[in-house]
Amino acid sequence: MHVMQIIPTGKNHKEIIKKKEKQLFFTICINQMESDWSGRWNHVRKFVERGGPFAHPDFEPSTEAIGFLQDVCKILVIGAGGLGCELLKDLALMGFRNLDVIDMDTIDVSNLNRQFLFRHKDVGKPKAEVAAEFINKRVPGCKVTPHYCQIQDYDESFYRKFHIVVCGLDSIVARRWINGMLISLLKYEDGELDQSTLIPMVDGGTEGFKGNARVILTGITACIECTLDLYPPQINFPLCTIAHTPRLPEHCIEYVRILLWPKEEPFGADVTIDGDEPDHINWIMDKSIERANEFKISGITYRLTQGVVKRIIPAVASTNAVIAAACSTEVFKLATSCCLPLNNYMNFSDIDGIYTYAFEAMKKEDCIACTNIPKALKFSDGDKLQDILTYLIDSAEYQMKSPGITTSLNGKNKTLYMQTVKSIEEKTRENLKKTLNELGLRDGQEVYIADPTTPNTITFKLTLGCNME
């Protein structure tokens, strides 16, 4: 670029020239940002306007493909944390202009080392709103719509608007819920899936220097529930160890969180622990150190205390970047068909060098989410309702959180137990102590389970054993 300058005389003429050059440079950049400048999307056109050996069999190179990408295709990004920030950046720079992002969290100081769309001035603000504002300002033409809420706050009509859903979540419960929602949108005609109702889900996850990316074609490939056993179970310490024989700093923190907080009520009655409130964390840390000193345990810090309280999964910025890039590439493949998508699961690790491995996760024929076959619950009529509840929570196959159980007796719906509504929980609590026989349940009877892990009610069929009458 040739810039004409009138070179002034005097001692500071070099500084004046540099200042004018910078002003001219920024003026040019702003003018370019106001429209699609020449050559802006050349990197994208190379993929969508010509064929290749890895293209999908149905792919037809077209100059109109980029128009669909930018003006029609709607992408929902769930999560605006470490993965979500990377996903929004990658998708916006790929040419996706109709993006929505949903996140229920606010920005904490601890997020700033890797969630690069946020600044210190943003602490306390909703992640979704700040991330959307940043991308909208930085990437010309892109429109990110934020949703500061839980995914459960929207119904089917909201999710049906999107062509692809991409997840950057740190919650298995949230993954299972959106998986169930997308499955509930599927429609079948004469037993055949109407593929126009299929919304693909691209899911990414990271933990430290390990991560994974997967593509889920709901109703066709393995879903989240099909592969639930791939997720590591949440670490829960036995209460007896926490209360009587702590051996780790985490045991001391859990003792304060579970037993001491509700007993002492340090910030008033009915005040729950806020993992982002420094006063709460400092109180728990101080009490944990006191208990740790009694048992000669060391290692309790503010960071560890907050990590235990909030169940924080360790995050590394480079891992987030790699997994987000893999997920964004899969979104691009699905949107354009320029390349066959991942089939269907990829593991990544850079603990000892860089390692990736892709494999096909198999669909379960009796999956509780993507098949309509009622699952069998095998008990005897002398077992208690509490036994069913415990099994649904502890079983590696179901891993439910707070299941509510209903059934149909004598043509009427009957709630056997529901934990999520306080008034109903109080009225049905006594049922947990009753046997299945006392509750009037018989072999072959259907019971219906509602749980926060799914938006849909799951049907089970009781198979009662040798004690039944």
Side-chain angles (χ1 to χ4, degrees), residues 264-302:
E264 297 195 8
E265 297 180 338
F267 295 91
D270 300 324
V271 175
T272 57
I273 298 173
D274 183 351
D276 294 316
E277 174 53 58
D279 290 341
H280 290 195
I281 299 300
N282 279 317
W283 187 88
I284 295 172
M285 181 182 68
D286 292 340
K287 292 294 182 180
S288 300
I289 291 173
E290 290 177 12
R291 181 166 177 79
N293 290 338
E294 293 178 20
F295 293 88
K296 297 181 180 180
I297 298 171
S298 62
I300 293 178
T301 62
Y302 184 95

Side-chain angles (χ1 to χ4, degrees), residues 93-105:
L93 295 177
M94 278 180 165
F96 292 99
R97 287 179 165 173
N98 296 300
L99 301 172
D100 284 56
V101 59
I102 183 169
D103 195 296
M104 61 178 286
D105 286 339

Side-chain angles (χ1 to χ4, degrees), residues 70-232:
Q70 296 179 341
D71 303 325
V72 179
C73 190
K74 288 181 65 67
I75 307 294
L76 174 64
V77 177
I78 302 180
L83 265 179
C85 287
E86 292 280 356
L87 286 167
L88 287 170
K89 176 260 293 180
D90 291 347
L91 293 169
L93 295 177
M94 278 180 165
F96 292 99
R97 287 179 165 173
N98 296 300
L99 301 172
D100 284 56
V101 59
I102 183 169
D103 195 296
M104 61 178 286
D105 286 339
T106 55
I107 299 164
D108 183 69
V109 173
S110 63
N111 303 145
L112 302 182
N113 71 327
R114 64 194 179 280
Q115 298 174 23
F116 61 91
L117 300 184
F118 310 139
R119 300 294 181 267
H120 197 276
K121 64 181 176 61
D122 301 320
V123 171
K125 297 178 182 178
K127 287 184 177 181
E129 294 178 3
V130 175
E133 182 182 8
F134 191 105
I135 295 293
N136 289 339
K137 286 183 178 179
R138 191 63 178 267
V139 184
C142 188
K143 181 184 177 183
V144 182
T145 303
H147 305 272
Y148 173 44
C149 60
Q150 300 181 51
I151 56 175
Q152 293 88 346
D153 292 342
Y154 287 116
D155 59 13
E156 293 183 356
S157 61
F158 173 78
Y159 293 102
R160 196 176 280 114
K161 296 185 299 183
F162 299 98
H163 293 91
I164 302 171
V165 172
V166 54
C167 299
L169 292 162
D170 58 4
S171 166
I172 297 174
V173 172
R175 280 187 177 90
R176 296 173 68 183
W177 192 92
I178 191 63
N179 176 75
M181 171 56 72
L182 297 182
I183 288 172
S184 71
L185 300 180
L186 298 175
K187 293 182 180 179
Y188 293 83
E189 296 180 3
D190 299 325
E192 293 293 324
L193 174 64
D194 179 0
Q195 295 202 13
S196 66
T197 62
L198 188 159
I199 300 176
M201 180 168 77
V202 178
D203 177 52
T206 66
E207 182 174 350
F209 292 98
K210 298 181 290 184
N212 67 80
R214 64 187 301 184
V215 175
I216 298 173
L217 304 178
T218 48
I220 297 177
T221 63
C223 73
I224 296 291
E225 295 290 342
C226 290
T227 56
L228 193 58
D229 56 347
L230 292 177
Y231 295 100

